[in-house]
Amino acid sequence: MNNGLDVKRLGIFLALAFGLAWIIGLVIFLTGGLVNSPVLVPQLQLTLAVVLLAVGYMWAPALAHVLTRLLTREGWQDTWLRPHFKRGWRYWLAAWVVPALATIVGAAVFFALLPRYFDPDLTMLAGLLAQNAQTATMNPWLIVAAQLGSAVLIAPLLNGLFTFGEEFGWRGYLLPKLLPLGERRAMLVSGVIWGVWHWPVIAMGHNYGFGYPGAPWTGMLMMVWFTVVTGCFLAWATLRAGSVWPAVIGHAAINGISALGVLLVQGNPSSLLGPLPVGLLGSLGWAAVAGWILWRHAGRRQAPMD
C-alpha cells in the first residue's frame, strides 16, 4: 500500500488493461490498420479492425477488472454494478442528456469562432441525398434532426453494449482504486490513463486522421485532454449514483452524438480544433462541464451500496 493506494492491484489491472488492448492494437496494425483493414461483410462495410475494436480493444478494461479480482483473490464486493436507480436516477438522466448538450455547445463555439467552416446549405449531405432518387428531394436539415434524435434517444442503449467494456474497467475498478488520492485527483488521473490507453489507435488515425500538424503526437495529447474532461463527468456520475451504469450510458451517448458536427462542416478544418468534441474548440462544452464538477461537486463521494 502507498498512501492508501492498492498499488499491487492497480499495477496488475493496468498491465492487463493496456497489455490486452495494445496487443489487439498491434493485430489491427499488422492487418492493415484502421484504413486498410480487411472487409469482413462487404454489404455493411464491416472491417476486421471495427470488430477487433468493438469486441476486443474496448472490452480489455472489463476483462482486466475480472482477471485482477481473480488473480488477487479480491472477491466481488464493490463492483459498482448495482444500478441504485432510485437513489441515482438524476445522474442516469444527466448521463443521457449532457453529452448531447456539451457536444452541441462545443460545435457552436467552433463554428462561431471559425464561421468559414460552417455550411448552412449542408452541401455534403445534400449531395449524398441527391444520389438516391427516393431521398433527392429531402431537406438535409431533417436528416440532421433525425440524426440528433437518434443519437439522444437510441444510441445510449445500443452503444452501451460496447462501452460497458471500458466503463466496468475505468470507472468500475480504476476510479475507486484511485480515490485515496482524493476525488478530484482520482478523476483527473483516471482520465489521463484512459487517454493514454487510446494512443495506439490514435496513431492509426482514429478520431484525428493523419494530416494534422504534429501527427500523431498532438492527436495523442489532444485525446488525453478529451478523456480528462469527459472522464470527470463520467466519474462524477458514477460516484454520485454509486453505480457504473450512468457512466456506461454517458460514454455510449458521447459516442453516439460526437459525429454530429461533421454534417455541418465545409472545407477541411483541423481535427485538432473541431467541430468534433475531440478537438480543442469542440471540447469546450465538455471543459465547462468538467470545470463545474471539479469546482462545485468533487470531494463529496458517495460510496456504493454493493
Side-chain angles (χ1 to χ4, degrees), residues 75-119:
W76 300 99
Q77 299 298 315
D78 298 338
T79 60
W80 298 73
L81 281 176
R82 291 186 181 179
H84 302 312
F85 184 76
K86 184 176 180 180
R87 185 185 84 180
W89 67 268
R90 291 174 297 174
Y91 307 105
W92 287 65
L93 180 61
W96 203 296
V97 174
V98 168
L101 298 177
T103 299
I104 291 171
V105 167
V109 170
F110 172 84
F111 288 122
L113 295 177
L114 300 171
R116 66 184 180 276
Y117 292 120
F118 179 64
D119 181 11

Side-chain angles (χ1 to χ4, degrees), residues 242-257:
S243 172
V244 75
W245 290 108
V248 173
I249 290 174
H251 190 166
I254 291 169
N255 289 356
I257 193 68

Side-chain angles (χ1 to χ4, degrees), residues 4 78-80 87 91 171-187 234-243 293 296-306:
D78 298 338
T79 60
W80 298 73
R87 185 185 84 180
Y91 307 105
R171 257 58 66 174
Y173 194 81
L174 176 64
L175 177 67
K177 285 288 187 288
L178 292 175
L179 285 177
L181 296 174
E183 193 174 77
R184 290 183 179 87
R185 289 184 181 178
M187 289 179 173
L234 298 176
W236 168 80
T238 297
L239 295 174
R240 294 297 172 268
S243 172
I293 288 171
R296 293 291 301 273
H297 289 271
R300 295 183 294 151
R301 181 173 68 95
Q302 294 179 358
M305 296 185 294
D306 288 349

Side-chain angles (χ1 to χ4, degrees), residues 7-264:
V7 176
K8 176 182 176 181
R9 289 191 171 98
L10 274 171
I12 292 173
F13 169 77
L14 291 175
L16 289 169
F18 277 74
L20 293 170
W22 286 15
I23 288 172
I24 293 170
L26 179 61
V27 173
I28 293 173
F29 174 74
L30 294 176
T31 55
L34 299 180
V35 177
N36 299 309
S37 180
V39 178
L40 301 180
V41 184
Q43 296 84 348
L44 302 175
Q45 288 297 301
L46 183 65
T47 66
L48 176 63
V50 170
V51 173
L52 290 176
L53 281 174
V55 302
Y57 205 105
M58 291 182 69
W59 273 79
L63 183 57
H65 180 166
V66 172
L67 290 176
T68 301
R69 288 183 180 274
L70 292 174
L71 290 172
T72 64
R73 300 181 181 180
E74 183 175 356
W76 300 99
Q77 299 298 315
D78 298 338
T79 60
W80 298 73
L81 281 176
R82 291 186 181 179
H84 302 312
F85 184 76
K86 184 176 180 180
R87 185 185 84 180
W89 67 268
R90 291 174 297 174
Y91 307 105
W92 287 65
L93 180 61
W96 203 296
V97 174
V98 168
L101 298 177
T103 299
I104 291 171
V105 167
V109 170
F110 172 84
F111 288 122
L113 295 177
L114 300 171
R116 66 184 180 276
Y117 292 120
F118 179 64
D119 181 11
D121 297 322
L122 304 181
T123 306
M124 179 183 68
L125 182 56
L128 293 175
L129 294 174
Q131 296 176 11
N132 189 317
Q134 295 180 337
T135 61
T137 60
M138 292 184 64
N139 186 331
W141 280 102
L142 292 178
I143 303 300
V144 173
Q147 177 71 19
L148 177 60
S150 174
V152 173
L153 299 176
I154 301 174
L157 294 176
L158 296 180
N159 292 345
L161 297 173
F162 306 102
T163 58
F164 175 83
E166 289 192 51
E167 294 308 320
F168 188 51
W170 302 133
R171 257 58 66 174
Y173 194 81
L174 176 64
L175 177 67
K177 285 288 187 288
L178 292 175
L179 285 177
L181 296 174
E183 193 174 77
R184 290 183 179 87
R185 289 184 181 178
M187 289 179 173
L188 295 172
V189 171
S190 62
V192 171
I193 291 171
W194 183 28
V196 172
W197 176 83
H198 284 87
W199 279 3
V201 292
I202 300 300
M204 287 187 276
H206 182 59
N207 284 339
Y208 301 97
F210 299 99
Y212 54 91
W217 307 108
T218 49
M220 293 176 176
L221 294 176
M222 189 58 63
M223 189 64 193
V224 172
W225 162 255
F226 175 70
T227 54
V228 166
V229 294
T230 55
C232 284
F233 172 73
L234 298 176
W236 168 80
T238 297
L239 295 174
R240 294 297 172 268
S243 172
V244 75
W245 290 108
V248 173
I249 290 174
H251 190 166
I254 291 169
N255 289 356
I257 193 68
S258 62
L260 183 67
V262 172
L263 301 177
L264 312 177

